[in-house]
């Protein structure tokens, strides 16, 4: 085990506030595929697990599938 704490998936609003970004900026990053998301029901959430893995393994490519 990596001993890594990964927060649960977050809404665009929550993650934008946490990172000090506007929701518009974060939405644009999501649309460009820079920030991975998952869809839960009708909601699109930031995939914090994929982000954490990309920080640990710099050569890991994050892909977002619709």
């Amino acid at each position: 085990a990596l001993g890594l704490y990964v927060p649960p998936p977050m809404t665009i609003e929550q993650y934008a506030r946490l990172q000090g970004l506007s929701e518009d900026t974060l939405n644009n990053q999501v649309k460009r595929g820079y920030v991975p998301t998952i869809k839960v029901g009708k909601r699109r959430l930031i995939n914090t697990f994929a982000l954490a893995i990309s920080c640990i393994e710099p050569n890991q490519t994050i892909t977002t599938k619709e």
Side-chain angles (χ1 to χ4, degrees):
L2 297 173
L4 174 70
Y5 168 74
V6 178
M10 297 182 189
T11 64
I12 299 280
E13 179 184 354
Q14 290 170 324
Y15 193 76
R17 185 176 40 235
L18 181 69
Q19 296 300 316
L21 300 170
S22 71
E23 288 182 48
D24 286 339
T25 297
L26 185 54
N27 276 316
N28 286 331
Q29 291 178 349
V30 166
K31 287 177 188 175
R32 291 184 175 118
Y34 299 150
V35 178
T37 61
I38 55 175
K39 194 160 187 188
V40 179
K42 293 182 178 183
R43 300 179 79 182
R44 178 138 326 263
L45 302 174
I46 302 300
N47 187 342
T48 55
F49 180 76
L51 284 172
I53 294 301
S54 71
C55 291
I56 294 169
E57 298 178 15
N59 297 327
Q60 178 73 26
T61 302
I62 298 174
T63 56
T64 302
K65 297 194 179 198
E66 294 296 321

